Amino acid sequence: MSAVAPKIRVTTTEVVDVTPMIKRFRFAAADGSPLPPFSGGAHVIVEMRDGETLRRNPYSLMSPPGQTSSYTISVRRDDAGRGGSLFMHRQVRPGTELTINQPVNLFPIDWRARKHLLIAGGIGITPFLAQIDQLAAEGAPFELHYAVRSREQGAYVDDLERRYGPRVHVHCDDRGERVPVDALLAEQPLGTQLYVCGPSGMMEWVLATARAAGWPEQSLHHERFLAPASGKPYTVSLAVSKRTIRVTEHQSMLDAIEAAGVQAPYMCRGGACGECETRVLSCDGTILHNDVFLTPQEKASGEKIMPCVSRFEGRSLVLQR
Ligand code: FES
């Protein structure tokens, strides 16, 4: 999917405080028609018109995948972020109309698995909610380990335990509990697929532990959307569009390109999918690669950039856009 794919106008039908930091939003199509079906692990980009600023944030769909009358997402408030989650928390009420993109799944279930081992941290639980619904409906064996700061701050803990019983294991930081990753990985049957979603540090730890234990790369699945970093303002020139664009301190390069009226492809807006990859024609300065898509060699070559999360410092940057 790209930026030119048809978008969906939705109405907010419900806003629920899940924890002091997390709200749940339900959306239905503004024209009353069914929403597109999706699979567990999919996300949508939510567009928010905040005065002169158009914000676009990715959120995992957490409602049952078969349900096309509405979608639900959960948003954790990030007081130090660029404003998207604050907008959702402060401005979006029942009745608020928003635009979303068609669902895209960069974190699908691998149905060949003999067993699914799911490890979530904090708000990283959201893609698993839709996945578990699908796994349970299909009778597929799964085991969820969910790391939270405390039971009170853990979204959907009670609901998950009530619905899925012993297949759900909650690990509370405030009780000194950690996901026993080494032991867990050692006891899985051959053919188990591992899925992880949560804070970067936790994901890197789980994936590194799995690789060190000899798990093959094709058995490891993770979803890692990065928030675009803020930084010093700079200018970028677009050779095809013949535009020179100022990127402000809290704007991503992709946001700035779009704000200038230039269409650019995207799918995750979080440095993970590769859709926004753009060729660098010349660079007098340093590209600050913040994505997790390009290889270290590609980053070192300076020939490509992911404008959704990466920035630039220096005299001039010219892109093939
Ligand atoms: S839009 Fe996915 S990496 Fe940039």
Side-chain angles (χ1 to χ4, degrees):
M1 195 192 69
S2 74
V4 295
K7 296 180 183 180
I8 309 166
R9 195 76 188 146
V10 293
T11 305
T12 310
T13 57
E14 183 183 68
V15 180
V16 176
D17 290 313
V18 180
T19 73
M21 295 297 286
I22 297 173
K23 282 183 193 271
R24 184 175 69 237
F25 300 85
R26 182 180 297 279
F27 306 125
D31 66 3
S33 57
L35 292 163
F38 65 96
S39 53
H43 74 274
V44 292
I45 303 284
V46 177
E47 292 189 359
M48 303 158 236
R49 173 58 67 186
D50 187 5
E52 291 296 295
T53 307
L54 182 61
R55 305 186 188 284
R56 293 183 172 101
N57 279 17
Y59 295 109
S60 295
L61 293 172
M62 51 170 278
S63 34
Q67 181 181 298
T68 55
S69 57
S70 65
Y71 289 159
T72 54
I73 61 168
S74 285
V75 179
R76 187 180 195 285
R77 201 181 77 219
D78 180 0
D79 295 326
R82 296 180 317 130
S85 69
L86 284 176
F87 179 91
M88 291 297 294
H89 272 246
R90 291 176 179 163
Q91 311 284 338
V92 177
R93 309 258 177 275
T96 304
E97 287 207 1
L98 294 164
T99 299
I100 62 172
N101 284 38
Q102 303 271 334
V104 171
N105 199 343
L106 302 173
F107 190 45
I109 295 168
D110 186 334
W111 290 103
R112 297 166 304 176
R114 280 184 61 199
K115 181 180 170 188
H116 305 268
L117 176 62
L118 319 172
I119 301 181
I123 193 66
I125 191 65
T126 51
F128 291 130
L129 296 170
Q131 288 186 334
I132 289 174
D133 193 276
Q134 229 178 337
L135 291 168
E138 295 293 328
F142 74 88
E143 179 177 343
L144 170 70
H145 289 261
Y146 181 16
V148 296
R149 292 213 173 119
S150 64
R151 281 193 76 90
E152 298 67 44
Q153 292 180 64
Y156 310 113
V157 164
D158 294 338
D159 190 44
L160 282 163
E161 286 180 337
R162 182 179 49 75
R163 293 178 67 183
Y164 303 112
R167 289 175 285 182
V168 172
H169 306 261
V170 176
H171 307 270
C172 300
D173 259 7
D174 66 342
R175 293 193 209 146
E177 297 164 354
R178 287 188 98 196
V179 181
V181 175
D182 286 293
L184 267 179
L185 295 176
E187 71 192 21
Q188 298 308 314
L190 207 62
T192 299
Q193 297 284 317
L194 172 67
Y195 307 76
V196 57
C197 184
S200 288
M202 188 201 90
M203 291 177 54
E204 276 155 25
W205 165 57
V206 172
L207 293 170
T209 307
R211 288 179 183 123
W215 281 56
E217 209 55 44
Q218 63 270 24
S219 298
L220 308 180
H221 310 267
H222 56 93
E223 174 143 275
R224 184 178 345 198
F225 291 170
L226 305 166
S230 297
K232 291 182 199 151
Y234 59 93
T235 55
V236 55
S237 297
L238 308 180
V240 178
S241 314
K242 299 187 177 27
R243 303 287 302 271
T244 295
I245 291 168
R246 186 83 176 148
V247 184
T248 62
E249 187 182 356
H250 298 300
Q251 209 175 20
S252 73
M253 191 187 298
L254 179 59
D255 287 340
I257 290 171
E258 292 169 337
V262 177
Q263 279 206 345
Y266 66 84
M267 206 152 56
C268 71
R269 303 184 81 89
C273 72
E275 183 76 9
C276 69
E277 180 180 303
T278 305
R279 251 188 84 203
V280 175
L281 296 181
S282 72
C283 173
D284 181 1
T286 306
I287 296 173
L288 307 172
H289 291 286
N290 294 320
D291 64 279
V292 291
F293 183 81
L294 293 175
T295 64
Q297 293 78 9
E298 287 173 320
K299 288 178 182 175
S301 78
E303 292 172 357
K304 298 171 182 175
I305 187 169
M306 297 294 170
C308 65
V309 290
S310 296
R311 300 186 69 84
F312 170 72
E313 280 180 8
R315 290 169 61 83
S316 88
L317 175 69
V318 183
L319 302 184
Q320 188 170 44
R321 170 72 57 217

